[in-house]
Amino acid sequence: MPDFFPPSHPSHTSYAIHSIAEEWPTEMHGQYGLVHQRFTLLGVGRTATPRQAVSYRSALVAPGGWIQLGEVDPRQPSAGGPAMNDMWSIIRATFSAICSTHDFAHGMAEWLVEEGFEDVREEAFEIGLSPRCKDPAVGKRSIDVMLQSWEAMMNAGESEYLYILGCKYC
């Protein structure tokens, strides 16, 4: 994994490998004005729960700071035919097999309130894929990305729904 790190970087930047299914080092707690996470919670597997991973991330936020969580919500697709509905069934089953649940995205706002965050907002964004995308070039790329994601479905999750949470910690 260190191969993913850039060979040079500013002196105020550092890189480390850390499992999201584990607590972060105490010296990192309360140190960050913004903590951002996207498409990550499926990676906890059965080592921790998605709820625990959010708690671990929450500990990193400085007083007055913000946390953003973006996750897949495969509970119910908004569009698509029988093949897409079958695909969503496979995604839900895979999520449940990997981390015992497929519906953690809609619980994140409540978890953040439980962690002491205020001004918690939840917004759902549908990402238009393939023919539903207004830009044909982006639509083509979305097909390629989705095919790669579906190929890797046994190891991770990907879909066309994204839940974004933004909230302020006081």
Side-chain angles (χ1 to χ4, degrees):
M1 294 266 298
D3 293 342
F4 289 115
F5 301 155
S8 63
H9 53 81
S11 61
H12 66 279
T13 304
S14 63
Y15 297 92
I17 296 172
H18 182 81
S19 170
I20 64 160
E22 297 174 0
E23 290 191 60
W24 293 79
T26 306
E27 61 271 12
M28 296 176 77
H29 290 196
Q31 298 298 309
Y32 302 95
L34 174 66
V35 173
H36 174 81
Q37 169 229 289
R38 179 175 38 204
F39 300 130
T40 306
L41 292 180
L42 190 61
V44 301
R46 293 185 182 263
T47 306
T49 65
R51 170 68 178 92
Q52 287 170 313
V54 168
S55 180
Y56 300 155
R57 288 276 166 82
S58 297
L60 301 172
V61 181
W66 292 77
I67 188 167
Q68 295 176 326
L69 307 174
E71 286 296 336
V72 174
D73 184 4
R75 289 177 295 159
Q76 189 170 7
S78 65
M84 184 60 90
N85 289 332
D86 288 347
M87 185 28 228
W88 281 103
S89 294
I90 292 168
I91 290 173
R92 287 189 293 274
T94 302
F95 276 34
S96 294
I98 292 171
C99 64
S100 301
T101 184
H102 68 270
D103 62 351
F104 50 80
H106 78 278
M108 294 187 303
E110 182 180 325
W111 298 342
L112 292 173
V113 170
E114 291 170 0
E115 291 294 326
F117 287 89
E118 298 177 357
D119 191 20
V120 175
R121 293 186 308 260
E122 180 175 339
E123 298 178 44
F125 295 89
E126 183 174 343
I127 300 171
L129 302 174
S130 187
R132 292 188 294 155
C133 184
K134 294 177 183 173
D135 181 328
V138 174
K140 166 73 171 88
R141 283 192 301 238
S142 73
I143 293 170
D144 295 341
V145 169
M146 287 305 291
L147 289 173
Q148 290 171 358
S149 299
W150 292 348
E151 185 178 333
M153 188 51 67
M154 290 304 125
N155 296 320
E158 202 63 57
S159 80
E160 62 188 55
Y161 289 93
L162 171 63
Y163 265 73
I164 301 288
L165 298 175
C167 58
K168 185 173 183 179
Y169 183 68
C170 299

